[in-house]
Amino acid sequence: MKRMHIHVSVKDIDDSIRFYSGLFASEPTVRKDDYAKWLLDDPRVNFAISTRAQSVGINHLGIQAENAEELAEIEQRAALANLRAEPETSANCCYAQSNKHWLEDPQGIVWEAFHSFGEIPVYGSARNDEQACCPGPKNAAAAQKSAAHSSASCC
């Protein structure tokens, strides 16, 4: 079963963890110095926060697939609807390794469909800040917009 994904960029990780832990009545599933994630069942959501973006607020939205087949189903739906999805295989970000597809809605909101299949010890790969994880759509306008609020953040 798929899970809704919401990633919010925050100023202070400790204050935000305290707030969201109270709101969800649950401690984070993953907690790092710059990142936290809750995998909730009610509501069924993967809610992540990080301090890695330049501005605060909604970083991106997404759908987390439980397996490769569900990710392929999401990609197929996007193709049938003539939505441009940018694949990213074996992405290393948010302390996880994942296969992804990036989309951008008509308002410019970046969406990530992904299936994670492993953990990694660092937030992202060894890429530089311009190439940090969660790049979103690869067209120039989308990349520029994405870089303004999420160039170094992810899931």
Side-chain angles (χ1 to χ4, degrees):
M1 179 184 310
K2 297 168 203 73
R3 184 184 299 264
M4 183 70 184
H5 171 58
I6 302 168
H7 188 126
V8 174
S9 297
V10 299
K11 287 182 193 175
D12 185 301
I13 197 77
D14 292 326
D15 283 344
S16 296
I17 288 172
R18 191 171 18 265
F19 175 85
Y20 289 113
S21 292
L23 179 65
F24 300 143
S26 175
E27 291 299 312
T29 307
V30 175
R31 183 178 181 154
K32 305 289 184 181
D33 291 339
D34 58 351
Y35 176 83
K37 174 173 66 178
W38 290 260
L39 291 174
L40 304 169
D41 289 323
D42 184 17
R44 190 160 168 78
V45 65
N46 168 340
F47 185 86
I49 60 175
S50 70
T51 58
R52 301 183 61 91
Q54 294 175 355
S55 61
V56 298
I58 297 293
N59 185 290
H60 65 273
L61 303 173
I63 300 171
Q64 179 181 357
E66 287 190 15
N67 53 50
E69 292 78 21
E70 284 185 355
L71 183 60
E73 173 193 331
I74 296 166
E75 180 184 23
Q76 183 178 24
R77 285 192 306 221
L80 288 172
N82 292 319
L83 305 178
R84 187 171 153 247
E86 296 287 337
E88 183 180 8
T89 58
S90 297
N92 291 321
C93 75
C94 299
Y95 302 95
Q97 188 173 34
S98 307
N99 287 330
K100 307 173 180 229
H101 299 283
W102 293 96
L103 300 108
E104 185 174 326
D105 81 359
Q107 290 68 237
I109 298 171
V110 176
W111 279 81
E112 166 192 34
F114 67 99
H115 168 240
S116 295
F117 51 85
E119 294 182 12
I120 58 173
V122 295
Y123 187 85
S125 68
R127 296 177 287 180
N128 63 35
D129 285 343
E130 288 94 36
Q131 296 172 321
C133 65
C134 297
K138 293 182 177 155
N139 69 55
Q144 185 177 20
K145 178 176 183 152
S146 181
H149 65 81
S150 65
S151 69
S153 60
C154 175
C155 355

